[in-house]
Amino acid sequence: MKAELSKALAEIVGSDYFSDRPEELYLYSRDPGAQLPRKVDGVVMPRTVDEVQRIVALANREKLALTPMGAGLTLSALNVPLKGGIVLDMKRMDSILEVNKASRYVLIEAGVTQAALSAYLEKNHPRLQHSTPESPPTATIVGNILIHGHGHLTPRYGVNSQMVNGMEVVLPTGEVCQLGSGSISPNWFSRDPLPDLMGLFLGWLGTTGIVTKLSLQLFPKPAFRDLLLFVSDSVELIPELIAEFSQINLLENCFIITQEKPRWAQRIYYIIVVSGESQEEFEVKKKMHEGIFEKYKVEPVAEEKALAALRERFLGVPPFAATAADFRKGGGFEYTGAILPIEVIPEAWRKGIEIAHKQDFLYQLGIQLLPNGHSVMLAYSYAFNRAQADEFERARKALDDTNRLTLGLGGVAWKPELPAQKLILERMDANTRQLIKRVKKMLDPNDIMNPGNWEVA
Ligand SMILES: Cc1cc2nc3c(=O)[nH]c(=O)nc-3n(C[C@H](O)[C@H](O)[C@H](O)COP(=O)(O)OP(=O)(O)OC[C@H]3O[C@@H](n4cnc5c(N)ncnc54)[C@H](O)[C@@H]3O)c2cc1C
């Protein structure tokens, strides 16, 4: 990068918060997933909206690409520049600005992490909670929402991007915009009934603007919470059971998992999280779920040792996903989330196992129910040893096969890495594709924001 450009960026944020040193850029040039490293020219860590605006102004003048980053944990390298330029690391913008207890929302800056918000609420508002993903605790709330992530309250209240009341965004042309009720009042309590501009930024992978603040809905935290465990061998039964849970609509969360090792884990396990404000409410919900499984002759697992292990793994907030990841020597973990209609689950499940075996991996599948059982996220995980070139390559092939399977079954690949974005765009309605192109061009005329992502020729 040109010396004058480095100097100008260091002047905006202070010299401690700009770097173009190779040892630091190394960290920004890759993520823990299966994408190949890419070139980064610099990293900048703004603290204020004004600094973000000045960086954007400079980037437009110099035609410098800007890639926003939260914690960089999508495993799809969405925060690693495709066309060089600088990473805009948002971690320093980490203030929790306001909690409104009555209207139940929190206003945060873009760098606030899942762990920071959970700890803050636990200490100051123990009866409130937000929907926490299984990702490592350093993941940012904004990064998760911008990829339409999901958390432990998703089956009940919606995917996390549906919980947004409003946002503040620095547009690629430098103006600051408030969206939602925050655009007309000091209260960030609602997204409706204004034109919903949130969709210009959700799911766009940082290509349409830089989110600097976000108002997120909070939810009551029930006094009682526990899990129930059931086990079955029938893949065909999964859609029917999901329909039954949705009919009574009483669960907080639900995971359906299997994995190849150890051997006993090869069956299909249903982990049902139920909660309640009183012991009585909790017991009723528990009983109703037990009734469903009894009707389908699916066995409960009452073994206290197994339940204790699962409580530790699934009831924490966030749940302790690292135990599921099976990281191996050399590091490297990839999972692709297939967002699927309910009826294709059995085929997606079986073919997922075939793909893992074809690429010589142990299979590991997990379903999380999406809102009201209208769809699911089926995660296909591949743990690999990054130090082994052939294993790395097989993980990439498995990822590609899985994305093709997902699209072939009429689903959508979630948090798509570049090759998956291309597969999605290829299948997309031609007018929709052109609309994406026009929206991007309108918002970002100089194509400086995370260029190369959602790129329509
Ligand atoms: C073990 C493991 C388990 C996981 N479990 C879950 C899960 O249960 N649910 C789930 O949803 N996800 C899960 N994930 C995926 C991912 O970690 C999370 O979604 C995470 O919250 C993403 O946040 P991030 O801060 O890492 O985002 P980043 O990777 O930093 O960013 C995501 C995208 O948003 C853009 N972006 C980031 N900040 C801004 C900003 N301020 N303005 C504009 N654009 C921005 C980036 O350019 C990128 O395109 C998991 C990951 C791992 C490794």
Side-chain angles (χ1 to χ4, degrees):
M1 194 156 73
K2 286 189 274 175
E4 317 84 82
L5 208 48
S6 299
K7 192 162 163 254
L9 286 163
E11 266 169 24
I12 294 172
V13 290
S15 54
D16 282 349
Y17 299 108
F18 166 77
S19 177
D20 55 7
R21 280 184 244 140
E23 65 274 24
E24 277 161 349
L25 298 187
Y26 177 90
L27 299 172
Y28 287 90
S29 67
R30 63 201 67 219
D31 81 353
Q35 300 310 299
L36 299 170
R38 302 194 282 252
K39 180 172 170 285
V40 182
D41 296 308
V43 54
V44 66
M45 299 181 82
R47 176 64 200 97
T48 65
V49 177
D50 177 61
E51 288 174 6
V52 174
Q53 283 185 283
R54 288 165 62 199
I55 294 165
V56 169
L58 183 73
N60 274 295
R61 249 191 341 265
E62 300 290 333
K63 306 286 180 285
L64 178 67
L66 292 180
T67 298
M69 170 179 175
L73 283 167
T74 59
L75 305 173
S76 313
L78 298 174
N79 58 294
V80 182
L82 286 165
K83 299 190 176 181
I86 61 172
V87 173
L88 195 66
D89 184 334
M90 301 300 283
K91 285 189 195 70
R92 286 179 71 220
M93 297 184 72
D94 63 352
S95 301
I96 296 172
L97 300 168
E98 180 200 349
V99 171
N100 183 321
K101 258 174 85 174
S103 297
R104 288 205 200 101
Y105 69 81
V106 59
L107 185 65
I108 53 166
E109 287 187 319
V112 171
T113 63
Q114 301 290 346
L117 182 59
S118 296
Y120 182 87
L121 293 175
E122 184 66 42
K123 183 165 170 212
N124 300 294
H125 304 280
R127 298 194 69 202
L128 293 176
Q129 60 176 335
H130 74 290
S131 181
T132 317
E134 279 197 89
S135 37
T138 51
T140 64
I141 288 163
V142 166
N144 174 261
I145 282 172
L146 293 180
I147 57 163
H148 292 297
H150 44 267
H152 76 291
L153 298 177
T154 283
R156 192 159 182 194
Y157 295 115
V159 291
N160 295 352
S161 52
Q162 289 170 303
M163 298 171 180
V164 176
N165 283 342
M167 300 195 288
E168 177 188 84
V169 185
V170 175
L171 298 180
T173 38
E175 304 88 339
V176 184
C177 260
Q178 262 94 33
L179 313 176
S181 61
S183 66
I184 53 169
S185 102
N187 292 324
W188 290 83
F189 69 103
S190 182
R191 180 168 174 160
D192 319 327
L194 303 165
D196 192 352
L197 295 171
M198 241 67 67
L200 289 174
F201 305 95
L202 299 171
W204 289 79
L205 312 178
T207 60
T208 49
I210 300 152
V211 176
T212 45
K213 293 190 186 74
L214 187 139
S215 168
L216 179 70
Q217 291 174 355
L218 300 173
F219 299 90
K221 187 170 176 179
F224 297 87
R225 199 161 170 260
D226 201 0
L227 55 78
L228 311 171
L229 179 64
F230 300 87
V231 62
S232 142
D233 294 307
S234 166
V235 186
E236 305 304 328
L237 211 50
I238 298 176
E240 278 182 70
L241 286 170
I242 290 177
E244 295 278 0
F245 310 148
S246 319
Q247 189 72 26
I248 61 169
N249 197 17
L250 291 176
L251 51 70
E252 177 181 295
N253 202 356
C254 165
F255 297 98
I256 306 170
I257 58 173
T258 190
Q259 61 183 44
E260 194 156 0
K261 289 277 167 75
R263 225 178 131 75
W264 57 261
Q266 290 178 7
R267 304 185 71 192
I268 301 168
Y269 290 87
Y270 291 80
I271 295 154
I272 304 289
V273 180
V274 278
S275 55
E277 203 39 42
S278 67
Q279 181 80 41
E280 219 178 354
E281 181 192 346
F282 172 77
E283 290 299 334
V284 169
K285 289 181 176 172
K286 197 171 147 191
K287 232 192 198 124
M288 289 188 74
H289 284 99
E290 285 168 345
I292 293 177
F293 285 99
E294 207 178 303
K295 179 172 148 196
Y296 285 86
K297 300 192 173 38
V298 174
E299 306 158 37
V301 180
E303 221 178 287
E304 200 36 54
K305 210 170 143 198
L307 290 174
L310 288 174
R311 280 189 189 108
E312 206 171 302
R313 156 87 175 81
F314 286 101
L315 284 188
V317 173
F320 188 50
T323 53
D326 178 26
F327 290 98
R328 280 190 271 165
K329 197 175 171 205
F333 172 59
E334 186 59 81
Y335 85 90
T336 171
I339 309 295
L340 296 172
I342 305 294
E343 61 277 13
V344 304
I345 293 172
E347 194 176 348
W349 190 277
R350 275 192 228 98
K351 291 203 167 139
I353 292 175
E354 281 169 29
I355 290 173
H357 286 165
K358 184 175 141 207
Q359 300 301 345
D360 206 13
F361 286 111
L362 298 175
Y363 66 79
Q364 190 185 25
L365 307 180
I367 283 179
Q368 186 178 24
L369 227 59
L370 295 180
N372 309 310
H374 284 130
S375 58
V376 291
M377 193 277 295
L378 173 45
Y380 302 87
S381 301
Y382 306 107
F384 58 92
N385 184 342
R386 187 176 291 282
Q388 301 289 337
D390 72 311
E391 228 176 273
F392 189 80
E393 201 39 46
R394 282 190 282 112
R396 291 167 59 74
K397 283 203 180 113
L399 186 61
D400 184 55
D401 286 351
T402 315
N403 288 328
R404 287 174 192 276
L405 169 68
T406 301
L407 293 167
L409 288 173
V412 186
W414 171 57
K415 63 182 182 65
E417 66 286 347
L418 183 67
Q421 290 172 33
K422 290 192 169 152
L423 290 177
I424 293 172
L425 287 170
E426 262 167 40
R427 274 161 207 259
M428 193 178 271
D429 166 68
N431 289 335
T432 312
R433 230 174 16 229
Q434 285 311 309
L435 182 59
I436 287 180
K437 186 174 176 170
R438 275 156 59 192
V439 169
K440 280 178 67 179
K441 187 77 191 161
M442 185 249 312
L443 287 171
D444 182 14
N446 290 323
D447 195 23
I448 58 164
M449 291 305 308
N450 212 356
N453 285 284
W454 287 140
E455 190 169 70
V456 179

